[in-house]
Amino acid sequence: MAHDASDPQPGRSRRVAIIGAGPGGICTGVRLLERGHDDFVILEKAPGVGGTWWHNRYPGAECDIKSHLYSFSFAPNAAWSRSYARQPEIKTYLEECVRRFGLEPHLRLGTEVRSARWDDASAKWRLAVGDDEVVEADVVVSALGMFGAPVAPDIPGLDTFAGTIFHSARWDEDHDLGGEDVAVIGSAASAVQFVPEIAPVVGRLYLYQRSANWVLPKEDDPFTPEQIDAFRVDTDTVLALRDSIFATVDPNLTFADPERRAAAEAAGLSNLAVVEDPEVRRKLTPDMPFGCKRPLASNVYYPTFNRPNVELVVDPIVEVTANGVVTADGRTRRVDTIILATGFATTKFLGALDVVGRGGLHIDEAWADGPQAYLGITTSGFPNLFMLYGPNTNNGSIIYMIECQVDYVMQLLDRMDDEGIVAVDVKRDVMDRYNAALQETLAGVEVWQAGCHGYYRVPSGRIVTQWPGSMSEYRARTREPDPEAFEAVARATAST
């Protein structure tokens, strides 16, 4: 079992255990150190930091929020090379934040958390990590987020394919696609980014599309050296640019303005017009309103379909054989490699782990109808457990949303310290009222009720991923914890 050599006592009890060294874990560590709390550990199963930006290394991987907003407010970056930075730059930025703020001594890389169990008597969490170690902590902060576990499609014969197969989120960097015939299954966010990158080097590329997505043009010119120099000289210009991006993005997150939606669809159709074949263009035209599924943006995706070696396939896949993909029209396309661009288990959240709370309550039982939490941060029955990028917090710049959540958690920890509280647990009736109101608001977001099949919902029909308001509204809701929303658990009564 690997752990950072700078942590000389890996088994001792901690004040705070953080699961994940992505943006959420990094932000939490920074804020703890700012408050003078250094008794914490960041447990990360990967051998490096960055979370989704460590794992997702496919060609062309980039953020869909402009980089000056997709960065920490306390660590503005004057050196972004372009408006939408690519994965290597984002990963480097997060690594630099770890070094700059002195988080290395708190990191334990290559350390997977397998389960977390709350002990009523001691009012502590016990985390099973690695093969046989238990880490004790008063508080657990889960920074797992939504995009951790890749999902493979349920296609008969997929496991019989004799060629190379991998998920876009676990890109095989050692595999040379040059000259190969390649099947890409899935046509959403990752495919839109990597398909234009690999199309020029493969022999044939077959893109299997279940439904067409809105792909808008992207304002992504590189910054000039003069602009970057100006950012470095005057950081106020960086903050002003960040504020400008925020002011543009924030009002558009609810898709409530029909004129804005119409303008977005017009831009999408204009972007699509570059496709020369009218039949291919028709197949790429969405039949759902803009915003029904995750909006995408690219200037290079649609031109890829003008290449003679690229074929868009919309007939459903019925099976995969040892050497190809069979569609409902009976045709088999022989391929050397299959790339799964089929997304993640976005609705699992902390349920991806074996988590047991008060009185032996399993989180899967608590979330039988789908994950739910108060403000996306705390869930009843699981004291001192705080989630970042938890249920119903997905919208806008996730780093901005995470900062709101971390600031909220820090205030709860401050209250616990100031008042001698052993544990806090959100009251069930408070959480239930919050989620009832939240689902009512979600039901009012017209485009999310249009019947498209995306990653927002669980089988019960509840939307569990999306925040239905603006980032400004979320900041206002999380600015200060309501002490009446929580049960303060004293040590003597922790097991009652």
Side-chain angles (χ1 to χ4, degrees):
M1 178 185 62
H3 63 80
D4 193 273
S6 60
D7 179 8
Q9 296 176 292
R12 71 179 179 88
S13 181
R14 298 285 184 169
R15 171 71 166 128
V16 180
I18 302 165
I19 306 174
I26 293 169
C27 184
T28 304
V30 171
R31 293 304 197 199
L32 285 170
L33 288 177
E34 284 179 350
R35 280 170 156 74
H37 299 304
D38 63 358
D39 189 16
F40 67 91
V41 62
I42 303 175
L43 305 167
E44 170 57 58
K45 68 178 180 180
V49 304
T52 188
W53 299 108
W54 191 93
H55 287 290
N56 285 266
R57 303 180 181 210
Y58 58 82
E62 62 186 14
C63 189
D64 54 7
I65 291 288
K66 288 186 176 181
S67 301
H68 285 96
L69 183 57
Y70 192 85
S71 49
F72 298 120
S73 64
F74 52 81
N77 180 22
W80 293 122
S81 67
R82 58 194 315 121
S83 292
Y84 297 90
R86 291 198 166 187
Q87 177 268 342
E89 269 193 272
I90 300 172
K91 176 174 168 285
T92 297
Y93 167 75
L94 294 171
E95 291 169 343
E96 289 174 349
C97 286
V98 167
R99 289 190 292 270
R100 173 181 170 184
F101 292 99
L103 295 180
E104 294 104 321
H106 301 274
L107 283 173
R108 292 190 57 195
L109 303 176
T111 305
E112 181 176 6
V113 177
R114 295 183 288 106
S115 67
R117 293 177 179 266
W118 173 256
D119 183 74
D120 289 321
S122 64
K124 288 183 180 292
W125 282 98
R126 291 191 170 93
L127 281 63
V129 303
D131 296 327
D132 57 3
E133 184 189 346
V134 173
V135 171
E136 273 196 353
D138 300 319
V139 171
V140 170
V141 177
S142 168
L144 293 178
M146 285 173 45
F147 300 107
V151 169
D154 184 16
I155 300 174
L158 193 64
D159 58 348
T160 69
F161 182 63
T164 301
I165 184 168
F166 56 86
H167 195 284
S168 61
R170 301 295 183 266
W171 196 269
D172 188 345
E173 296 175 285
D174 295 327
H175 182 69
D176 183 7
L177 294 173
E180 289 196 338
D181 292 342
V182 177
V184 175
I185 300 177
S187 60
S190 63
V192 165
Q193 294 179 352
F194 76 72
V195 162
E197 298 288 325
I198 68 172
V201 302
V202 302
R204 293 283 301 173
L205 191 153
Y206 305 105
L207 177 66
Y208 292 84
Q209 171 187 278
R210 187 172 60 177
S211 59
N213 294 281
W214 286 104
V215 183
L216 272 58
K218 201 166 193 174
E219 300 175 4
D220 193 27
D221 292 333
F223 293 116
T224 65
E226 292 77 17
Q227 285 175 305
I228 295 173
D229 286 343
F231 290 150
R232 286 176 170 146
V233 170
D234 185 1
T235 56
D236 285 346
T237 61
V238 176
L239 299 177
L241 178 56
R242 177 188 176 90
D243 290 344
S244 173
I245 298 168
F246 185 94
T248 301
V249 172
D250 201 45
N252 297 320
L253 296 177
T254 62
F255 306 102
D257 187 336
E259 291 185 4
R260 290 181 185 270
R261 294 203 308 268
E265 292 185 4
L269 293 175
S270 177
N271 202 30
L272 178 59
V274 71
V275 177
E276 297 166 356
D277 188 318
E279 180 62 15
V280 175
R281 192 165 61 245
R282 181 189 66 79
K283 293 176 181 178
L284 288 167
T285 302
D287 61 0
M288 59 189 174
F290 176 78
C292 185
K293 294 170 70 172
R294 175 180 174 177
L296 308 174
S298 173
N299 299 324
V300 293
Y301 179 65
Y302 287 139
T304 302
F305 293 96
N306 295 330
R307 297 184 59 87
N309 68 326
V310 175
E311 179 182 352
L312 176 67
V313 183
V314 297
D315 293 300
I317 298 173
V318 294
E319 69 172 324
V320 171
T321 65
N323 54 23
V325 180
V326 184
T327 45
D329 60 355
R331 181 176 172 183
T332 299
R333 293 172 176 84
R334 295 178 63 90
V335 294
D336 305 296
T337 295
I338 295 176
I339 304 174
L340 305 176
T342 45
F344 300 84
T346 55
T347 61
K348 292 289 286 182
F349 298 99
L350 194 54
L353 302 180
D354 178 22
V355 180
V356 184
R358 298 175 74 178
L361 176 65
H362 286 255
I363 204 163
D364 284 345
E365 297 169 357
W367 287 354
D369 293 328
Q372 56 182 309
Y374 179 57
L375 297 171
I377 302 171
T378 58
T379 190
S380 185
F382 298 84
N384 291 8
L385 175 62
F386 305 113
M387 291 172 285
L388 309 178
Y389 203 177
N392 295 111
T393 61
N394 184 48
N395 216 347
S397 168
I398 297 310
I399 287 190
Y400 181 93
M401 299 288 279
I402 284 172
E403 282 199 53
C404 295
Q405 294 152 23
V406 172
D407 290 348
Y408 184 91
V409 172
M410 292 301 112
Q411 291 183 69
L412 284 173
L413 294 181
D414 288 346
R415 180 194 169 201
M416 292 171 67
D417 290 342
D418 293 343
E419 300 179 21
I421 296 170
V422 174
V424 293
D425 190 8
V426 66
K427 296 175 182 176
R428 179 64 195 229
D429 62 326
V430 170
M431 186 181 77
D432 287 346
R433 285 197 304 270
Y434 170 81
N435 276 279
L438 179 72
Q439 290 299 319
E440 184 176 345
T441 303
L442 286 163
V445 181
E446 181 182 348
V447 296
W448 291 343
Q449 313 307 319
C452 57
H453 299 286
Y455 62 70
Y456 300 166
R457 297 180 187 271
V458 291
S460 68
R462 293 175 59 248
I463 292 177
V464 300
T465 61
Q466 302 307 101
W467 169 248
S470 65
M471 292 181 287
S472 297
E473 182 182 350
Y474 190 76
R475 168 64 77 182
R477 295 291 295 272
T478 57
R479 191 171 300 280
E480 184 177 353
D482 176 6
E484 297 302 315
F486 294 90
E487 175 189 356
V489 183
R491 185 175 303 279
T493 60
S495 61
T496 60

